[in-house]
Amino acid sequence: TVTFTPSTTTLSLNPTSGITHGGTVNVTIGVSPSAATGDVSLITSTGKGVDEFTLSGGAVSSSTTLLPGGNYTVHAHYAGNGTYASSDSAPVNLTIAPEASTTSISMITFNSQGQITNQHATTAPYGSPYILRFDVKASSGTVCGPLANCPTGTLAVTDNGSPLDPSFFNGVLNSLGYTEDQ
């Protein structure tokens, strides 16, 4: 037979409000019994894992800058190991304010065979194929990805004050924080 010893996980975050996205939040996690080893993840109330820590002596004292903006709860999840069962902490309420962003534009040009000729072109012959790429990045410089939240929403792009044709350009940022006009 296989048995696991139950575990208990606790979580403390400081501060829990007055934080801007990308700001530092101190994280204290305890897993009992203190002989527990392995990893503990921070998970939002939307089910998204935002950071991971490795236990030392059944505890973690660290910080994170990866918490997404908004009002939500976070709990710590101890994955368990070959001896100790998994467990979850009580949820902690958080309020994270949005962070300012920066937008950059690049023009990608192609030759007649469809091969990229320049990823940062400043001019292109009339009628030639190109892509305008608009990247939105957090002012903290955090690269978005699996553990850092990417900007979301819609980017408004205008040509001399007139919006680009919405049938060709919808401005919706993809999961990597950019949109393109082809």
Side-chain angles (χ1 to χ4, degrees):
T1 60
V2 175
T3 60
F4 288 102
T5 302
S7 69
T8 304
T9 300
T10 60
L11 171 65
S12 174
L13 302 174
N14 186 31
T16 58
S17 63
I19 312 154
T20 299
H21 177 260
T24 300
V25 175
N26 296 314
V27 177
T28 305
I29 301 170
V31 176
S32 168
S34 62
T37 59
D39 294 328
V40 182
S41 299
L42 291 182
I43 302 174
T44 68
S45 50
T46 62
K48 180 174 175 128
V50 292
D51 212 340
E52 181 178 271
F53 305 93
T54 300
L55 291 171
S56 175
V60 170
S61 183
S62 189
S63 63
T64 185
T65 59
L66 302 178
L67 295 165
N71 297 314
Y72 54 91
T73 63
V74 172
H75 73 274
H77 173 73
Y78 170 56
N81 62 20
T83 304
Y84 300 103
S86 65
S87 60
D88 293 292
S89 72
V92 175
N93 291 315
L94 275 178
T95 302
I96 309 283
E99 177 181 6
S101 62
T102 60
T103 303
S104 63
I105 183 173
S106 57
M107 181 169 50
I108 304 163
T109 57
F110 302 86
N111 64 19
S112 59
Q113 288 79 37
Q115 299 165 324
I116 294 175
T117 57
N118 190 339
Q119 291 191 12
H120 303 285
T122 56
T123 62
Y126 180 79
S128 64
Y130 68 90
I131 294 174
L132 290 179
R133 177 174 163 158
F134 305 92
D135 288 275
V136 179
K137 296 182 181 173
S139 63
S140 67
T142 303
V143 177
C144 73
L147 291 179
N149 294 290
C150 292
T152 60
T154 303
L155 184 68
V157 178
T158 60
D159 177 12
N160 291 320
S162 299
L164 292 182
D165 185 346
S167 62
F168 294 104
F169 178 74
N170 64 15
V172 176
L173 296 174
N174 66 15
S175 63
L176 297 176
Y178 71 88
T179 187
E180 295 178 338
D181 177 29
Q182 299 183 10

